[in-house]
């Protein structure tokens, strides 16, 4: 089943995000290679593809896991969470309908 992982960033965490980005993306690449990643990306703090120093307000990942517990465990192990980028993370089952 798919699960939506929605994270909210701590304020002023852009530098931590940039420092940890390669480790965060490597985990997402592994999900992608396994055919489990539906979509992933950050939420810009401004209405712009590149928010510059405004940074981001959080991230969203929708990926396939065997259970809610597995999805939560994967989210809890995210390098952004360990580095203090994420203030909070929620994980919910997600049903893909379209496209």
């Amino acid at each position: 089943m798919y699960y939506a992982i929605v994270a909210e960033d701590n304020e002023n965490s852009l530098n931590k995000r940039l420092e940890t980005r390669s480790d965060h993306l490597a985990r997402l690449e592994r999900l992608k290679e396994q055919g489990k990643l539906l979509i992933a990306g950050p939420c810009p703090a401004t209405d712009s593809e590149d928010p510059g120093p405004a940074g981001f307000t959080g991230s969203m990942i929708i990926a396939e896991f065997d259970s809610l517990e597995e999805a939560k465990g994967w989210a809890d192990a995210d390098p952004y969470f360990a580095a203090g980028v994420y203030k909070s993370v929620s994980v919910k089952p997600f049903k893909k309908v379209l496209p």
Side-chain angles (χ1 to χ4, degrees), residues 39 60 73:
I39 192 168
M60 179 183 289

Side-chain angles (χ1 to χ4, degrees), residues 40-52:
C43 302
T46 63
D47 191 11
S48 172
E49 287 282 324
D50 181 2

Side-chain angles (χ1 to χ4, degrees), residues 20-34:
T20 316
R21 186 170 188 261
S22 62
D23 293 336
H24 172 77
L25 292 178
R27 295 179 82 234
L28 291 170
E29 281 295 329
R30 285 193 293 278
L31 282 180
K32 180 181 169 189
E33 289 167 3
Q34 295 168 357

Side-chain angles (χ1 to χ4, degrees), residues 30-91:
R30 285 193 293 278
L31 282 180
K32 180 181 169 189
E33 289 167 3
Q34 295 168 357
K36 294 182 175 188
L37 183 63
L38 183 62
I39 192 168
C43 302
T46 63
D47 191 11
S48 172
E49 287 282 324
D50 181 2
F56 301 89
T57 61
S59 302
M60 179 183 289
I61 300 164
I62 300 177
E64 186 177 9
F65 294 94
D66 290 334
S67 67
L68 179 60
E69 292 75 25
E70 182 183 345
K72 285 181 177 180
W74 188 92
D76 288 345
D78 194 297
Y80 279 175
F81 199 65
V85 175
Y86 291 159
K87 175 173 32 176
S88 64
V89 178
S90 68
V91 182

